[in-house]
mmCIF file of all heavy atoms in Angstrom:
data_model
loop_
_atom_site.group_PDB
_atom_site.id
_atom_site.type_symbol
_atom_site.label_atom_id
_atom_site.label_comp_id
_atom_site.label_asym_id
_atom_site.label_seq_id
_atom_site.Cartn_x
_atom_site.Cartn_y
_atom_site.Cartn_z
ATOM 1 N N GLY A 19 -1.231 10.733 10.404
ATOM 2 C CA GLY A 19 -1.867 10.644 9.118
ATOM 3 C C GLY A 19 -0.924 10.664 7.922
ATOM 4 O O GLY A 19 -1.379 10.603 6.783
ATOM 5 N N ALA A 20 0.408 10.718 8.185
ATOM 6 C CA ALA A 20 1.370 10.701 7.056
ATOM 7 C C ALA A 20 1.359 9.265 6.466
ATOM 8 O O ALA A 20 1.229 8.286 7.162
ATOM 9 C CB ALA A 20 2.737 11.024 7.569
ATOM 10 N N VAL A 21 1.508 9.191 5.131
ATOM 11 C CA VAL A 21 1.562 7.887 4.417
ATOM 12 C C VAL A 21 3.009 7.640 4.067
ATOM 13 O O VAL A 21 3.741 8.506 3.557
ATOM 14 C CB VAL A 21 0.659 7.980 3.171
ATOM 15 C CG1 VAL A 21 0.754 6.650 2.372
ATOM 16 C CG2 VAL A 21 -0.779 8.185 3.554
ATOM 17 N N LEU A 22 3.417 6.375 4.333
ATOM 18 C CA LEU A 22 4.820 5.963 4.031
ATOM 19 C C LEU A 22 4.810 4.813 3.026
ATOM 20 O O LEU A 22 3.999 3.841 3.245
ATOM 21 C CB LEU A 22 5.563 5.580 5.286
ATOM 22 C CG LEU A 22 5.544 6.545 6.491
ATOM 23 C CD1 LEU A 22 6.220 5.869 7.721
ATOM 24 C CD2 LEU A 22 6.250 7.809 6.130
ATOM 25 N N LEU A 23 5.695 4.832 2.070
ATOM 26 C CA LEU A 23 5.890 3.684 1.186
ATOM 27 C C LEU A 23 7.316 3.157 1.437
ATOM 28 O O LEU A 23 8.240 3.910 1.277
ATOM 29 C CB LEU A 23 5.748 4.140 -0.284
ATOM 30 C CG LEU A 23 6.075 3.026 -1.310
ATOM 31 C CD1 LEU A 23 5.136 1.821 -1.182
ATOM 32 C CD2 LEU A 23 6.011 3.625 -2.698
ATOM 33 N N GLU A 24 7.381 1.929 1.931
ATOM 34 C CA GLU A 24 8.673 1.341 2.239
ATOM 35 C C GLU A 24 9.466 2.277 3.225
ATOM 36 O O GLU A 24 10.653 2.470 3.039
ATOM 37 C CB GLU A 24 9.534 1.057 1.013
ATOM 38 C CG GLU A 24 8.874 0.042 0.034
ATOM 39 C CD GLU A 24 8.756 -1.356 0.561
ATOM 40 O OE1 GLU A 24 9.417 -1.680 1.551
ATOM 41 O OE2 GLU A 24 8.011 -2.144 -0.031
ATOM 42 N N GLY A 25 8.763 2.868 4.160
ATOM 43 C CA GLY A 25 9.395 3.724 5.175
ATOM 44 C C GLY A 25 9.649 5.141 4.788
ATOM 45 O O GLY A 25 10.134 5.912 5.578
ATOM 46 N N LYS A 26 9.352 5.512 3.523
ATOM 47 C CA LYS A 26 9.604 6.930 3.072
ATOM 48 C C LYS A 26 8.267 7.651 2.874
ATOM 49 O O LYS A 26 7.338 7.123 2.335
ATOM 50 C CB LYS A 26 10.354 6.912 1.761
ATOM 51 C CG LYS A 26 11.779 6.315 1.868
ATOM 52 C CD LYS A 26 12.480 6.382 0.564
ATOM 53 C CE LYS A 26 13.828 5.711 0.591
ATOM 54 N NZ LYS A 26 13.829 4.283 0.411
ATOM 55 N N ASP A 27 8.258 8.944 3.321
ATOM 56 C CA ASP A 27 7.081 9.761 3.081
ATOM 57 C C ASP A 27 6.666 9.850 1.706
ATOM 58 O O ASP A 27 7.510 10.002 0.794
ATOM 59 C CB ASP A 27 7.422 11.222 3.559
ATOM 60 C CG ASP A 27 6.983 11.477 4.973
ATOM 61 O OD1 ASP A 27 5.906 11.063 5.374
ATOM 62 O OD2 ASP A 27 7.737 12.205 5.678
ATOM 63 N N ILE A 28 5.398 9.692 1.430
ATOM 64 C CA ILE A 28 4.872 9.824 0.037
ATOM 65 C C ILE A 28 3.485 10.429 0.035
ATOM 66 O O ILE A 28 2.716 10.229 0.975
ATOM 67 C CB ILE A 28 4.914 8.434 -0.690
ATOM 68 C CG1 ILE A 28 4.679 8.581 -2.206
ATOM 69 C CG2 ILE A 28 3.931 7.491 -0.035
ATOM 70 C CD1 ILE A 28 4.977 7.320 -3.013
ATOM 71 N N GLN A 29 3.222 11.251 -0.983
ATOM 72 C CA GLN A 29 1.895 11.853 -1.119
ATOM 73 C C GLN A 29 0.992 10.791 -1.774
ATOM 74 O O GLN A 29 1.497 10.024 -2.595
ATOM 75 C CB GLN A 29 1.965 13.160 -1.930
ATOM 76 C CG GLN A 29 2.828 14.212 -1.253
ATOM 77 C CD GLN A 29 2.272 14.652 0.086
ATOM 78 O OE1 GLN A 29 1.123 14.860 0.267
ATOM 79 N NE2 GLN A 29 3.166 14.650 1.075
ATOM 80 N N ILE A 30 -0.336 10.856 -1.534
ATOM 81 C CA ILE A 30 -1.266 9.916 -2.143
ATOM 82 C C ILE A 30 -1.163 9.840 -3.633
ATOM 83 O O ILE A 30 -1.128 8.732 -4.189
ATOM 84 C CB ILE A 30 -2.717 10.215 -1.642
ATOM 85 C CG1 ILE A 30 -2.858 10.063 -0.140
ATOM 86 C CG2 ILE A 30 -3.712 9.314 -2.426
ATOM 87 C CD1 ILE A 30 -2.858 8.648 0.404
ATOM 88 N N PRO A 31 -1.168 10.952 -4.387
ATOM 89 C CA PRO A 31 -1.083 10.809 -5.895
ATOM 90 C C PRO A 31 0.165 10.028 -6.346
ATOM 91 O O PRO A 31 0.075 9.203 -7.248
ATOM 92 C CB PRO A 31 -1.092 12.244 -6.375
ATOM 93 C CG PRO A 31 -1.661 13.024 -5.275
ATOM 94 C CD PRO A 31 -1.263 12.375 -4.002
ATOM 95 N N ALA A 32 1.281 10.310 -5.690
ATOM 96 C CA ALA A 32 2.537 9.586 -6.027
ATOM 97 C C ALA A 32 2.447 8.105 -5.739
ATOM 98 O O ALA A 32 2.906 7.242 -6.436
ATOM 99 C CB ALA A 32 3.732 10.241 -5.403
ATOM 100 N N LEU A 33 1.837 7.832 -4.540
ATOM 101 C CA LEU A 33 1.613 6.438 -4.120
ATOM 102 C C LEU A 33 0.800 5.691 -5.106
ATOM 103 O O LEU A 33 1.080 4.604 -5.525
ATOM 104 C CB LEU A 33 0.977 6.410 -2.734
ATOM 105 C CG LEU A 33 0.594 5.032 -2.227
ATOM 106 C CD1 LEU A 33 1.836 4.199 -1.920
ATOM 107 C CD2 LEU A 33 -0.302 5.129 -0.999
ATOM 108 N N MET A 34 -0.316 6.313 -5.564
ATOM 109 C CA MET A 34 -1.182 5.721 -6.528
ATOM 110 C C MET A 34 -0.465 5.372 -7.846
ATOM 111 O O MET A 34 -0.583 4.299 -8.381
ATOM 112 C CB MET A 34 -2.404 6.607 -6.830
ATOM 113 C CG MET A 34 -3.250 6.932 -5.639
ATOM 114 S SD MET A 34 -4.165 5.435 -5.091
ATOM 115 C CE MET A 34 -5.331 5.254 -6.424
ATOM 116 N N ARG A 35 0.294 6.368 -8.351
ATOM 117 C CA ARG A 35 1.056 6.150 -9.568
ATOM 118 C C ARG A 35 1.991 4.966 -9.450
ATOM 119 O O ARG A 35 2.116 4.063 -10.301
ATOM 120 C CB ARG A 35 1.828 7.389 -9.994
ATOM 121 C CG ARG A 35 0.950 8.465 -10.626
ATOM 122 C CD ARG A 35 1.773 9.598 -11.255
ATOM 123 N NE ARG A 35 2.725 10.254 -10.323
ATOM 124 C CZ ARG A 35 2.379 11.216 -9.535
ATOM 125 N NH1 ARG A 35 1.157 11.771 -9.602
ATOM 126 N NH2 ARG A 35 3.276 11.812 -8.754
ATOM 127 N N ASP A 36 2.702 4.944 -8.309
ATOM 128 C CA ASP A 36 3.661 3.907 -8.056
ATOM 129 C C ASP A 36 3.015 2.493 -7.919
ATOM 130 O O ASP A 36 3.508 1.577 -8.548
ATOM 131 C CB ASP A 36 4.443 4.207 -6.753
ATOM 132 C CG ASP A 36 5.697 3.416 -6.596
ATOM 133 O OD1 ASP A 36 6.584 3.567 -7.462
ATOM 134 O OD2 ASP A 36 5.830 2.628 -5.647
ATOM 135 N N LEU A 37 1.898 2.453 -7.193
ATOM 136 C CA LEU A 37 1.204 1.139 -7.059
ATOM 137 C C LEU A 37 0.620 0.693 -8.434
ATOM 138 O O LEU A 37 0.614 -0.490 -8.663
ATOM 139 C CB LEU A 37 0.091 1.266 -5.980
ATOM 140 C CG LEU A 37 0.628 1.480 -4.546
ATOM 141 C CD1 LEU A 37 -0.535 1.569 -3.571
ATOM 142 C CD2 LEU A 37 1.585 0.295 -4.119
ATOM 143 N N GLU A 38 0.042 1.619 -9.142
ATOM 144 C CA GLU A 38 -0.486 1.259 -10.513
ATOM 145 C C GLU A 38 0.541 0.625 -11.362
ATOM 146 O O GLU A 38 0.345 -0.373 -12.014
ATOM 147 C CB GLU A 38 -1.123 2.461 -11.148
ATOM 148 C CG GLU A 38 -2.478 2.851 -10.605
ATOM 149 C CD GLU A 38 -2.995 4.241 -11.080
ATOM 150 O OE1 GLU A 38 -2.361 4.847 -12.051
ATOM 151 O OE2 GLU A 38 -3.985 4.661 -10.581
ATOM 152 N N ARG A 39 1.776 1.246 -11.348
ATOM 153 C CA ARG A 39 2.867 0.718 -12.187
ATOM 154 C C ARG A 39 3.296 -0.663 -11.675
ATOM 155 O O ARG A 39 3.412 -1.578 -12.489
ATOM 156 C CB ARG A 39 4.005 1.713 -12.081
ATOM 157 C CG ARG A 39 5.084 1.542 -13.180
ATOM 158 C CD ARG A 39 6.247 2.466 -13.068
ATOM 159 N NE ARG A 39 7.024 2.089 -11.925
ATOM 160 C CZ ARG A 39 7.215 2.863 -10.863
ATOM 161 N NH1 ARG A 39 6.741 4.110 -10.796
ATOM 162 N NH2 ARG A 39 7.920 2.493 -9.851
ATOM 163 N N LYS A 40 3.412 -0.803 -10.361
ATOM 164 C CA LYS A 40 3.877 -2.077 -9.829
ATOM 165 C C LYS A 40 2.818 -3.174 -10.037
ATOM 166 O O LYS A 40 3.182 -4.297 -10.264
ATOM 167 C CB LYS A 40 4.171 -1.885 -8.354
ATOM 168 C CG LYS A 40 5.451 -1.194 -8.107
ATOM 169 C CD LYS A 40 5.846 -1.077 -6.642
ATOM 170 C CE LYS A 40 7.235 -0.533 -6.513
ATOM 171 N NZ LYS A 40 7.451 0.184 -5.313
#
Side-chain angles (χ1 to χ4, degrees):
V21 177
L22 307 175
L23 173 63
E24 299 294 343
K26 295 183 182 82
D27 263 321
I28 191 166
Q29 298 300 313
I30 297 285
L33 174 68
M34 296 293 289
R35 284 191 303 273
D36 196 60
L37 293 180
E38 282 168 10
R39 197 182 70 240
K40 286 182 170 152

